[in-house]
Amino acid sequence: MVPTSENGPPPPVYREIAEELREQIRSGRFADGDRLPGENVLMERHGVARATARQALSVLINEGLAVAVRGSGVYVRLFRPVRRHGARRLSRELWGNGRAIWQTDSDDRGYEVDSLRVEEAAARDHVARTLELAEGDPVLVRSRRYLVDGRPVQTAVSHLPLAVVGAEPRFRGHDTGPGGIYARLAERGLAPARFTEEIRVRMPTPEETGALALAPGTPVLEVARTALTAEHRPVEFNAITMDGSAYVLQYDFEA
Amino acid sequence: MVPTSENGPPPPVYREIAEELREQIRSGRFADGDRLPGENVLMERHGVARATARQALSVLINEGLAVAVRGSGVYVRLFRPVRRHGARRLSRELWGNGRAIWQTDSDDRGYEVDSLRVEEAAARDHVARTLELAEGDPVLVRSRRYLVDGRPVQTAVSHLPLAVVGAEPRFRGHDTGPGGIYARLAERGLAPARFTEEIRVRMPTPEETGALALAPGTPVLEVARTALTAEHRPVEFNAITMDGSAYVLQYDFEA
């Protein structure tokens, strides 16, 4: 399609083998959980050295399409991405009825929250600007990690102006009550009416690689979400970091 | 925040130096176009070997935060990400008035389209399913590349059922006329009323690295967009691949 892809040297053999396997995964010839041809098979089939066969399989592992199981082989990865449905998951119908936003994301699969930490901090820079606070104004910061099928998939750091959460203890607890913090905001007359999500992608920091147990070469998605009341008052800023291989983000909108 | 980030060995020195520079870029101490401290300065300041200083700068270059200019130094990168505003850019007000969707994305900057290729093809797999066609039904495929400030930022491959575009020549041209293909669809009584966008992120294929001139370690965003009429008839499927370092995607929606 683009000229640059038509010129230049041909791709190395390991790339070609990886591409062939990738196509077989995409087409469904190999399904989730299937064992891919091993190094010996690839060596014989393509007449290549072991290092080349191994490199081809590494490409798929690094892309998150396959996982190596020690002493057994390389398998098409079992994890089904979480479909995160932008607008539907944040509809008032959901949290207004006491359900957790996450119930729409993890489908039939369970999810867990761990590593919750709640603390007060001073708003700085982007957080202060987004929440329309002065530098140093106090915010409540809720940090936590989400796991699906036991696999860490995202971390989220919510910032709420202290003036908004007041002394209500459930903003500070592990269990924020039915419908979560948006239902609690609604009870205080500060129901979110609009959301803005900004999406960026980049390679992870070493800390993120650890927290999300990322495979080598896995990018992260940053979702920066701001919740606003009907009067356009920002009541929450949430900095979400997702394992890029674990998510499909979906947004539906009108023309 | 997460236990795994608190245990384990401390990060290597080059990572620490990179993190310090990264913070100085994020905080605005170094702005777009500023020259970063060179290898000699980093060696002296941190008491490290040249290889370590070079590695620290490489981290920032690989993250797309800096570019090396041969014989001169390493500079905070000049490219300002394109802010792509999901709903606003596809509003009927825009294309209904004869404007190009891209005019909302590139702000005051110009954009160019190159490498346009238009051809008929048989719909297969995901394209056939999404457009509710039988396998092998004919589609018009429009492939092209977009550049902002002379830099390639995305490729897009639109698929339109041949039954939808008919013999109208402007679907096949470089210039699709005022308001582009959505305005042409509207003239045929098939105006898009709803859009669905699915976002995935992954590392690029070698072809994508070439077509988008990606720096090493730059992930790509895949946006798969389906346009539907008010009667829920799918009229276009667009497979968009973006330089992940060149974009901020924004979506606004109601609670």
Side-chain angles (χ1 to χ4, degrees):
Chain A
M1 182 184 72
V2 167
T4 45
S5 70
E6 287 165 16
N7 306 328
V13 176
Y14 79 90
R15 284 272 178 202
E16 283 179 8
I17 300 173
E19 173 61 22
E20 188 181 313
L21 293 170
R22 195 188 290 118
E23 272 310 304
Q24 291 173 332
I25 295 170
R26 290 210 173 131
S27 70
R29 165 136 160 49
F30 291 118
D32 259 7
D34 282 357
R35 189 161 170 238
L36 291 175
E39 290 174 12
N40 292 333
V41 174
L42 293 177
M43 286 163 69
E44 200 176 299
R45 191 182 293 169
H46 296 278
V48 295
R50 182 171 303 276
T52 305
R54 188 173 298 159
Q55 221 174 349
L57 291 168
S58 294
V59 169
L60 301 176
I61 293 168
N62 286 343
E63 288 175 353
L65 287 174
V67 286
V69 178
R70 195 187 296 262
S72 169
V74 175
Y75 292 80
V76 177
R77 68 203 304 267
L78 289 157
F79 190 79
R80 180 161 47 92
V82 177
R83 180 169 291 264
R84 180 180 183 276
H85 194 294
R88 193 186 301 157
R89 67 195 298 277
L90 290 171
S91 80
R92 180 191 272 267
E93 279 170 50
L94 191 65
W95 47 264
N97 287 316
R99 294 184 64 209
I101 288 164
W102 258 78
Q103 288 174 350
T104 60
D105 286 345
S106 57
D107 314 324
D108 48 328
R109 291 176 285 182
Y111 71 94
E112 296 164 77
V113 178
D114 75 359
S115 313
L116 176 74
R117 198 162 75 185
V118 184
E119 61 196 346
E120 291 183 17
R124 299 269 171 232
D125 300 330
H126 184 69
V127 170
R129 280 195 301 277
T130 304
L131 291 175
E132 295 173 9
L133 299 174
E135 281 284 314
D137 276 359
V139 284
L140 188 71
V141 182
R142 293 180 55 90
S143 306
R144 68 275 193 198
R145 184 171 75 160
Y146 290 85
L147 299 93
V148 171
D149 290 346
R151 168 178 161 160
V153 293
Q154 75 165 52
T155 60
V157 185
S158 280
H159 303 74
L160 299 110
L162 218 57
V164 157
V165 301
E168 165 60 55
R170 282 184 298 183
F171 282 110
R172 291 171 167 81
H174 190 281
D175 179 5
T176 50
I181 63 167
Y182 294 149
R184 299 294 80 71
L185 287 169
E187 288 163 3
R188 298 175 71 81
L190 295 166
R194 290 175 48 231
F195 296 92
T196 292
E197 294 195 339
E198 284 184 354
I199 300 166
R200 289 176 181 77
V201 60
R202 57 175 172 74
M203 296 313 286
T205 64
E207 291 69 32
E208 290 164 343
T209 299
L212 295 171
L214 297 172
T218 306
V220 290
L221 283 159
E222 275 185 5
V223 178
R225 181 171 75 223
T226 310
L228 302 126
T229 66
E231 293 76 35
H232 302 284
R233 177 172 176 184
V235 287
E236 185 210 21
F237 173 72
N238 195 353
I240 302 164
T241 308
M242 298 170 167
D243 173 346
S245 69
Y247 275 92
V248 178
L249 310 186
Q250 181 176 339
Y251 294 91
D252 300 336
F253 46 93
E254 311 282 311
Chain B
M1 185 184 69
V2 166
T4 45
S5 69
E6 288 166 13
N7 307 328
V13 176
Y14 78 90
R15 284 270 176 204
E16 283 179 7
I17 300 172
E19 173 60 21
E20 187 180 313
L21 293 170
R22 196 188 291 119
E23 273 310 305
Q24 291 173 332
I25 295 171
R26 291 211 173 131
S27 70
R29 165 137 160 49
F30 290 118
D32 258 8
D34 281 358
R35 188 159 172 243
L36 291 175
E39 290 173 12
N40 292 334
V41 174
L42 293 177
M43 286 163 69
E44 200 176 297
R45 188 180 297 169
H46 297 277
V48 296
R50 183 170 302 278
T52 304
R54 187 173 299 158
Q55 219 173 350
L57 291 168
S58 294
V59 168
L60 301 176
I61 293 168
N62 286 343
E63 288 175 353
L65 289 173
V67 287
V69 179
R70 195 186 295 262
S72 169
V74 175
Y75 292 80
V76 177
R77 68 204 303 268
L78 289 157
F79 189 79
R80 180 162 48 94
V82 177
R83 180 170 290 265
R84 179 180 183 275
H85 195 295
R88 193 186 300 157
R89 70 197 295 277
L90 290 171
S91 80
R92 180 191 272 268
E93 278 170 52
L94 190 66
W95 49 262
N97 287 317
R99 294 184 66 212
I101 288 165
W102 258 79
Q103 287 174 353
T104 61
D105 286 344
S106 58
D107 314 325
D108 48 327
R109 292 176 284 182
Y111 71 93
E112 296 164 77
V113 177
D114 75 359
S115 313
L116 178 74
R117 198 162 76 184
V118 184
E119 60 196 346
E120 291 182 18
R124 300 270 171 230
D125 300 332
H126 184 68
V127 170
R129 280 195 301 278
T130 304
L131 292 175
E132 296 174 7
L133 299 174
E135 281 285 313
D137 275 0
V139 283
L140 189 72
V141 182
R142 292 179 57 88
S143 306
R144 67 275 193 198
R145 185 171 74 160
Y146 291 85
L147 300 92
V148 171
D149 288 348
R151 167 177 161 159
V153 292
Q154 75 164 53
T155 59
V157 185
S158 280
H159 303 76
L160 300 110
L162 218 58
V164 157
V165 301
E168 165 61 54
R170 283 185 297 182
F171 283 108
R172 291 173 168 80
H174 191 282
D175 179 5
T176 51
I181 63 166
Y182 294 149
R184 300 293 81 70
L185 287 169
E187 288 162 3
R188 299 177 71 80
L190 295 165
R194 290 174 49 229
F195 296 93
T196 292
E197 293 194 341
E198 285 184 353
I199 300 166
R200 289 176 182 77
V201 60
R202 58 175 172 74
M203 297 312 287
T205 64
E207 291 69 33
E208 290 165 343
T209 298
L212 295 171
L214 297 173
T218 306
V220 289
L221 282 159
E222 277 185 4
V223 177
R225 182 171 73 223
T226 310
L228 301 126
T229 66
E231 293 76 33
H232 302 285
R233 177 173 175 182
V235 288
E236 185 211 22
F237 173 73
N238 195 353
I240 302 164
T241 307
M242 299 170 166
D243 174 347
S245 69
Y247 274 92
V248 179
L249 309 186
Q250 181 177 339
Y251 294 91
D252 299 337
F253 46 93
E254 311 283 311

